[in-house]
Amino acid sequence: MTNRRDFLKSSALLAAGGLVGSSLLNSCGSSATAAPARKSFIGLQTYSLGGELTADVPAGLKRVYDAGYTDLELAGYRDGMQGEYTMAEYKKMADDAGLKISGAHVGPSSRNYTKEGMAEMSEFWKKAVADHVILGVTTIVQPSMPTVTSEDDAKIICDIFNNAGQIAKDAGIKWGYHNHSGEFTTRIMSAADQAEADRIAAERAAAMASAAAGGTAPRMNFGRAPQGTMVEQLFLDNTDPELVMFELDCYWAVMGGQDPVQWLKNYPNRFKLLHVKDKWIIGNSGMMNWEMIFKTAYEIGIEQWFVELENDGDDSTTQFYGVEESAKYLLSRSFVKA
Ligand code: MG
């Protein structure tokens, strides 16, 4: 709370000096509303900061708070620890900085997504969930995709997801899954799809052979072969809505050729969290329709969302700079709830 008091005091001094309004107008451009110092919710996925945060966690978390963030979704849980800290130590540091840890990304240590792997996965999630109860999170999210090559793979994976979801639910935590682009670009053929594709291929080959023998042009209208089902769709279809929710990474959806708004509208009861991610600083690329994404997200009841930045690979800027500039953008937008 010391930090919050210091923040309020320094804000008051800046305002008294007439500095706040002008500096915000300069940095936000003409279309922005005057930016408040804080909003009720602005989340950050701590992966965004990488080593810049782990180098000095207490100081880093205070800087995150000062940028305007209210909530964290952690990354980096391993072997019962959050980096080099116990869960209780990490929670204390977040509390001291004025930040709430509302969620965490957790990747299971096992990749054994088989019927035989269920018991091992179950043990992992029991321990992970118990550890995250210490943090006080309301959500736990698996961040990456197991290998999916068939509908049967997807069904076993979804059984394991449902089981993880039940373990989390028993502890009062919502369990979810986070996409990259592969969930949209990887398409899985069902047996029926494959039979139809094979039939079309055989018809085409026979027509080509017949045309070649007769010296004529081959018939070309064989119909459209099935394209298969997106992995994201298989995960939605094969998980229990009571046990598994979804975090939509809006940027990776776009990179997978999708309109994030349409997915939110199609599955208003499944998407509970967003990753607000852009090419780098939120709002800078112009390729993400944040106004429509936020409008739709609020309409379907999404209250928690987390800014996430990849490392931009540019040594002349820091990740903290990107995280702070992203907060400025979101603080200054009227479409982000006050
Ligand atoms: Mg993400």
Side-chain angles (χ1 to χ4, degrees):
M1 292 311 287
T2 304
N3 192 53
R4 183 179 173 78
R5 203 159 54 235
D6 288 346
F7 173 83
L8 292 172
K9 196 166 77 183
S10 63
S11 298
L13 287 172
L14 285 171
L19 294 171
V20 166
S22 61
S23 68
L24 288 173
L25 282 178
N26 288 340
S27 65
C28 296
S30 58
S31 67
T33 55
R38 305 195 71 76
K39 291 201 178 197
S40 56
F41 189 98
I42 295 196
L44 178 69
Q45 164 53 251
T46 59
Y47 165 84
S48 309
L49 290 166
E52 292 178 31
L53 177 59
T54 51
D56 185 345
V57 177
L61 292 181
K62 287 187 172 75
R63 190 167 169 184
V64 167
Y65 175 90
D66 286 345
Y69 292 92
T70 62
D71 287 60
L72 300 177
E73 183 188 60
L74 299 187
Y77 169 77
R78 204 174 162 191
D79 298 333
M81 300 280 284
Q82 191 62 47
E84 60 189 55
Y85 295 97
T86 66
M87 306 306 264
E89 285 167 347
Y90 211 99
K91 174 159 173 30
K92 168 91 169 56
M93 289 187 291
D95 286 346
D96 288 349
L99 293 163
K100 180 171 170 10
I101 302 172
S102 50
H105 271 200
V106 176
S109 52
S110 169
R111 305 290 295 171
N112 190 7
Y113 286 92
T114 62
K115 282 197 180 82
E116 297 71 38
M118 176 69 92
E120 185 186 357
M121 289 285 185
S122 196
E123 286 313 302
F124 172 84
W125 285 113
K126 280 178 194 163
K127 165 90 171 107
V129 165
D131 285 338
H132 284 79
V133 166
I134 300 166
L135 292 176
V137 300
T138 57
T139 59
I140 292 177
V141 173
Q142 170 157 337
S144 56
M145 186 171 85
T147 304
V148 186
T149 58
S150 68
E151 284 195 326
D152 286 344
D153 281 354
K155 282 179 182 150
I156 292 166
I157 289 164
C158 288
D159 286 347
I160 291 171
F161 285 179
N162 284 335
N163 183 56
Q166 184 67 60
I167 293 165
K169 188 177 183 180
D170 291 345
I173 294 171
K174 286 195 178 82
W175 192 94
Y177 178 79
H178 159 280
N179 64 278
H180 290 84
S181 55
E183 288 79 357
F184 304 105
T185 56
T186 306
R187 288 168 181 260
I188 303 299
M189 301 283 270
S190 68
D193 283 347
Q194 192 60 57
E196 175 65 1
D198 290 347
R199 187 192 64 75
I200 289 173
E203 252 191 50
R204 178 179 285 118
M208 298 287 275
S210 161
T216 57
R219 181 168 75 85
M220 294 304 287
N221 56 331
F222 300 100
R224 188 167 184 268
Q227 303 298 299
T229 306
M230 292 179 200
V231 168
E232 184 81 354
Q233 187 70 56
L234 289 174
F235 286 176
L236 283 159
D237 291 347
N238 289 284
T239 48
D240 182 343
E242 298 297 318
L243 302 176
V244 176
M245 53 92 182
F246 288 77
E247 178 175 63
L248 184 65
D249 188 307
C250 299
Y251 174 80
W252 285 121
V254 167
M255 295 307 280
Q258 304 299 304
D259 175 3
V261 170
Q262 202 56 53
W263 282 87
L264 296 176
K265 284 184 172 169
N266 288 349
Y267 294 96
N269 300 318
R270 303 304 302 278
F271 289 103
K272 303 292 184 191
L273 301 172
L274 290 188
H275 264 191
V276 172
K277 184 191 196 88
D278 208 324
K279 208 162 173 211
W280 195 45
I281 294 168
I282 310 305
N284 269 15
S285 74
M287 66 182 273
M288 301 296 298
N289 188 346
W290 290 118
E291 180 160 13
M292 189 54 87
I293 290 169
F294 271 91
K295 180 173 179 287
T296 310
Y298 288 135
E299 275 170 11
I300 68 168
I302 290 178
E303 298 293 339
Q304 293 187 10
W305 46 272
F306 303 95
V307 168
E308 182 181 57
L309 274 66
E310 294 293 335
N311 189 313
D312 73 338
D314 177 353
D315 289 343
S316 69
T317 54
T318 64
Q319 290 299 104
F320 262 114
Y321 172 78
V323 162
E324 287 165 349
E325 290 298 304
S326 296
K328 281 185 196 167
Y329 172 81
L330 294 161
L331 286 165
S332 67
R333 299 297 120 163
S334 56
F335 59 73
V336 176
K337 274 188 187 172

